[in-house]
Amino acid sequence: MCGIVGFIGTQQCAPILLDGLSKLEYRGYDSAGMAILNDYTGKIDIVKAKGRLKILAEKTDDGKAMPGCCGIGHTRWATHGEPSETNAHPHCSDDRLVVAVHNGIIENYQEIKEKLAREGFRFYSQTDTEIVTKLIDYYYEKTNHNPVESISRTMLRVRGSYALGIMFQDRPGVIYAARKDSPLIVGQSEKGSFIASDVPAILTYTRDVYYIGNLEIAQLTQDSVTFYNIDREEITKEKTQIKWDAQAAEKGGFEHFMMKEIHEQPKAVLDTINAYVKDGRIDLSETGLTEEDLTAVRRIYFVACGSAYHVCLAAKYVIEDLTDIPVEIDLASEYRYRNPKLEKDSLVIVISQSGETADSLAALRLTNERGIKTLGIINVVGSSIAREANHVMYTLAGPEIAVATTKAYSTQLISCYLLAMETARVRGCITEEKYAEMLKELGLLPEKMERILADKERLQWFASKFASARDIFFIGRGLDYAISMEGSLKMKEISYVHSEAYAAGELKHGTISLIEDGTLVIGVMTQKDLYEKTLSNMVEVKSRGGYLMGLTSYGNYSIEDTVDFTVYVPKTDPHFATSLAVIPLQLMGYYVSVAKGLDVDKPRNLAKSVTVE
């Protein structure tokens, strides 16, 4: 979503803000702006621009035209009001006494706007951020210019989600921050203090960060940070050190972050396996889940959005096949609105790369309120879901910059495999021999992923033929259907080709009417027991003029009698086939996007971390 960066220190601020905002471009945005306290005039200067960050850089001579050592910057992803210079952040009070940037959505902004209008306030934009800025200004006057009290009173009044960076013109050398349900961190170094909505923005300058908690306020000066709760009581927080460095967030010679991250999947998978497999056994002690906990589970509920939801689809097949536990899955955005009936002694698993996904976080909180045990499968240490879930299983994907997830998805799959296998073992659903055999095969996945990546040029050639495709369909059964869903999402989100995934057996129930001469249909067939059935569905498509790509395991060479193009992946335990089959589908989406000349890492209208509902 939107990006926030703030700095107060010993150096000119604007170049640091521009650098930090450039590290957040992957989150998606349509406009950008900065507010700097001018060292010469004592006034706050604001410059905003519609479009890419380079326009803001050009308007400010790469920041050199905005003198000052204290400022806040923002990249906006429109929620209220069209993308425009007027609607871009920062927003300010009429006299620029209060200036703020904001991520999130203020749900009762209209009610607050009407109240402020009655008090004589006027408005220049269509945004909820201007409303919250002027509400802070309203309370600032009411509290005799007390920053912390005016912010806390604003927080008590507004409903919704927010991360706020705030400056007061009569408080030079100080930046304030506040948050609720939208990520915000504070960093410190010898050069000064920082705020940011994500780690990469400040990683060049410091790896020492604090995570601002829900309904908390931070006051930053050049050499100190003070935290308050919403009651304005000073609180202490522990500093966290980020383990990965700035180089991990660079392209490393690849043309795009997405391709770099596709190639990082073998290592990310290996790191995640090694975190939980010790001496030939799965060890979940770091999650806090005991053998007794796994034995007592009566039902598992998965909740997630987007690609993480597709992980849940695969996990359902694996867990139900290996164990005696029934599994349900929910889209997080729908979970709360169906009044879920949660059985006692159940486990609700929430999967999110960022740990800040708004719908997933809301689902977690509802579950916690009902007293049901929760597990978060998360990639970001210290994120909201990681802090609020009863148990946490971290994936070791490292920083993922491209909007379209690849390695985070793969490590989430691995986490679900490990959980399924260990649950099956402690419940006596699989033998020790089967357990050991599966662990051995799991350990071979990174090497097999490398083999797939070594043969990617064939896919590049094939994908380039479909750069002008209007529709692409994916079909599969069982786990192959789950992976088809992810392949279809990758295709549509970065190449803008209309793409759908269908359970292969559903084709004849209406969908087959969409097949025309030359329509590309990708059939995923890694499951031995379902191979012939799906191949029969491919024949049905071919008889109606479809152009067929088959994705299957080595050894199924008879497929070439039916399909027009075949991609083979190494054989593995069928429960793990999804981890191998996803790579060619990721590459297909990537290469079609590149062939069309699109911005692979920053597809239109999308954001990396969806922190609004």
Side-chain angles (χ1 to χ4, degrees):
M1 299 300 289
C2 310
I4 288 176
V5 183
F7 174 71
I8 167 64
T10 58
Q11 295 181 231
Q12 188 161 344
C13 181
I16 292 174
L17 297 187
L18 285 169
D19 177 62
L21 291 174
S22 72
K23 303 296 195 304
L24 298 179
E25 286 189 295
Y26 67 91
R27 294 168 69 92
Y29 68 101
D30 49 57
S31 56
M34 294 187 292
I36 308 293
L37 183 67
N38 191 306
D39 284 344
Y40 302 109
T41 66
K43 305 292 185 182
I44 295 178
D45 297 329
I46 299 175
V47 178
K48 303 192 281 189
K50 179 185 175 182
R52 288 301 182 195
L53 194 60
K54 66 180 181 180
I55 301 174
L56 181 64
E58 290 168 357
K59 290 180 73 170
T60 62
D61 190 19
D62 291 326
K64 293 190 287 290
M66 297 185 75
C69 299
C70 178
I72 50 179
H74 190 268
T75 48
R76 176 179 186 254
W77 188 76
T79 55
H80 288 70
E82 65 183 8
S84 69
E85 193 169 301
T86 300
N87 288 329
H89 302 207
H91 287 283
C92 62
S93 58
D94 292 341
D95 55 4
R96 294 198 179 182
L97 184 63
V98 181
V99 179
V101 292
H102 163 230
N103 291 352
I105 290 181
I106 305 301
E107 295 173 357
N108 60 335
Y109 78 99
Q110 192 62 47
E111 168 194 318
I112 295 170
K113 183 176 183 179
E114 291 169 2
K115 169 191 167 50
L116 292 174
R118 291 194 295 270
E119 299 289 338
F121 285 80
R122 296 293 176 263
F123 305 95
Y124 58 83
S125 76
Q126 302 166 296
T127 69
D128 55 342
T129 305
E130 182 191 0
I131 307 303
V132 75
T133 304
K134 290 185 172 175
L135 184 63
I136 295 171
D137 180 48
Y138 171 78
Y139 285 126
Y140 197 52
E141 296 297 333
K142 292 285 186 183
T143 60
N144 194 27
H145 290 204
N146 185 316
V148 174
E149 184 174 356
S150 62
I151 293 169
S152 68
R153 291 179 67 172
T154 298
M155 293 166 72
L156 288 167
R157 183 63 189 267
V158 301
R159 295 192 305 273
S161 62
Y162 51 81
L164 292 164
I166 309 155
M167 295 170 60
F168 298 88
Q169 192 164 263
D170 59 353
R171 299 273 174 167
V174 187
I175 294 174
Y176 294 87
R179 75 167 288 257
K180 177 181 177 290
D181 298 342
S182 197
L184 198 62
I185 61 172
V186 170
Q188 274 194 297
S189 75
E190 294 179 357
K191 295 180 179 179
S193 300
F194 304 80
I195 61 170
S197 50
D198 206 352
V199 169
I202 61 175
L203 202 52
T204 302
Y205 309 99
T206 182
R207 289 195 289 168
D208 295 325
V209 304
Y210 298 93
Y211 291 93
I212 306 177
N214 245 12
L215 297 176
E216 291 179 355
I217 301 167
Q219 175 184 285
L220 288 72
T221 65
Q222 175 181 313
D223 52 14
S224 69
V225 180
T226 308
F227 296 95
Y228 303 89
N229 61 25
I230 199 167
D231 296 320
R232 304 186 298 282
E233 299 166 335
E234 190 171 330
I235 57 176
T236 59
K237 301 189 78 64
E238 288 189 12
K239 189 179 293 183
T240 299
Q241 188 171 69
I242 303 301
K243 300 301 182 184
W244 44 273
D245 57 25
Q247 188 176 0
E250 301 297 333
K251 291 179 184 174
F254 288 91
E255 186 177 356
H256 299 99
F257 279 113
M258 184 177 176
M259 181 57 86
K260 173 178 179 277
E261 290 159 8
I262 288 173
H263 278 263
E264 288 174 341
Q265 286 177 112
K267 182 181 184 302
V269 163
L270 182 61
D271 288 346
T272 302
I273 292 171
N274 288 340
Y276 298 104
V277 177
K278 314 283 176 61
D279 300 320
R281 310 291 288 183
I282 297 171
D283 180 2
L284 298 181
S285 58
E286 288 190 13
T287 70
L289 286 170
T290 65
E291 291 190 7
E292 290 74 18
D293 290 329
L294 298 178
T295 303
V297 172
R298 294 174 56 183
R299 186 177 293 268
I300 291 176
Y301 303 86
F302 279 98
V303 183
C305 302
S307 291
Y309 176 76
H310 300 155
V311 171
C312 298
L313 286 171
K316 174 182 171 69
Y317 286 112
V318 174
I319 292 174
E320 288 192 334
D321 193 52
L322 291 179
T323 77
D324 55 352
I325 304 174
V327 178
E328 294 184 22
I329 57 174
D330 267 285
L331 287 164
S333 56
E334 292 292 319
Y335 180 76
R336 290 181 298 156
Y337 304 116
R338 70 171 180 86
N339 189 20
K341 303 300 185 286
L342 305 175
E343 284 191 25
K344 186 181 177 182
D345 296 325
S346 294
L347 178 65
V348 175
I349 302 174
V350 180
I351 304 181
S352 166
Q353 186 280 139
S354 68
E356 302 289 351
T357 310
D359 289 313
S360 300
L361 182 57
L364 174 76
R365 289 173 175 163
L366 173 64
T367 306
N368 285 340
E369 288 171 6
R370 296 193 177 185
I372 304 298
K373 191 171 293 186
T374 54
L375 168 68
I377 297 179
I378 308 298
N379 192 46
V380 180
V381 176
S383 57
S384 294
I385 294 176
R387 292 197 306 270
E388 297 184 32
N390 302 133
H391 304 279
V392 182
M393 190 173 188
Y394 284 113
T395 57
L396 276 74
E400 190 177 65
I401 306 302
V403 167
T405 184
T406 51
K407 60 178 179 171
Y409 172 91
S410 290
T411 54
Q412 289 164 359
L413 276 177
I414 294 298
S415 298
C416 290
Y417 299 157
L418 292 166
L419 183 65
M421 292 162 61
E422 185 64 5
T423 302
R425 185 191 69 81
V426 301
R427 296 171 76 100
C429 297
I430 59 174
T431 65
E432 284 291 335
E433 291 75 18
K434 178 64 174 175
Y435 179 78
E437 181 185 319
M438 292 184 73
L439 267 179
K440 180 181 179 181
E441 192 55 47
L442 193 70
L444 294 174
L445 285 179
E447 177 190 337
K448 293 179 178 181
M449 297 170 89
E450 294 278 12
R451 287 165 57 190
I452 297 169
L453 289 167
D455 193 34
K456 63 181 183 292
E457 284 74 18
R458 285 182 69 248
L459 262 173
Q460 182 175 12
W461 166 82
F462 180 73
S464 66
K465 297 173 60 175
F466 290 91
S468 59
R470 189 182 69 182
D471 306 287
I472 298 177
F473 297 103
F474 296 73
I475 62 172
R477 292 171 181 261
L479 272 168
D480 290 334
Y481 170 54
I483 197 59
S484 294
M485 294 284 285
E486 177 62 10
S488 175
L489 179 60
K490 284 292 154 288
M491 183 63 70
K492 71 181 72 171
E493 67 182 343
I494 60 172
S495 74
Y496 315 151
V497 174
H498 170 252
S499 169
E500 299 295 340
Y502 295 98
E506 291 297 297
L507 273 178
K508 58 182 67 71
H509 296 287
T511 307
I512 205 164
S513 66
L514 298 173
I515 303 301
E516 301 174 348
D517 284 345
T519 301
L520 176 60
V521 178
I522 299 174
V524 184
M525 292 167 279
T526 67
Q527 302 298 298
K528 181 179 178 181
D529 294 342
L530 299 171
Y531 174 83
E532 289 185 353
K533 289 186 178 295
T534 303
L535 191 60
S536 295
N537 298 128
M538 296 285 277
V539 172
E540 293 172 345
V541 170
K542 190 168 188 176
S543 67
R544 288 157 178 83
Y547 193 91
L548 304 185
M549 170 181 153
L551 174 56
T552 189
S553 303
Y554 280 107
N556 295 327
Y557 303 122
S558 62
I559 193 175
E560 296 183 14
D561 295 332
T562 302
V563 306
D564 301 289
F565 181 78
T566 310
V567 176
Y568 294 103
V569 296
K571 288 184 177 180
T572 186
D573 184 295
H575 299 95
F576 306 151
T578 304
S579 290
L580 302 181
V582 72
I583 295 177
L585 300 185
Q586 293 168 346
L587 290 168
M588 271 293 294
Y590 173 85
Y591 283 130
V592 171
S593 180
V594 169
K596 295 178 72 171
L598 302 175
D599 192 338
V600 176
D601 289 333
K602 299 186 286 290
R604 67 188 182 199
N605 302 331
L606 297 182
K608 181 64 177 173
S609 178
V610 183
T611 56
V612 296
E613 293 185 44

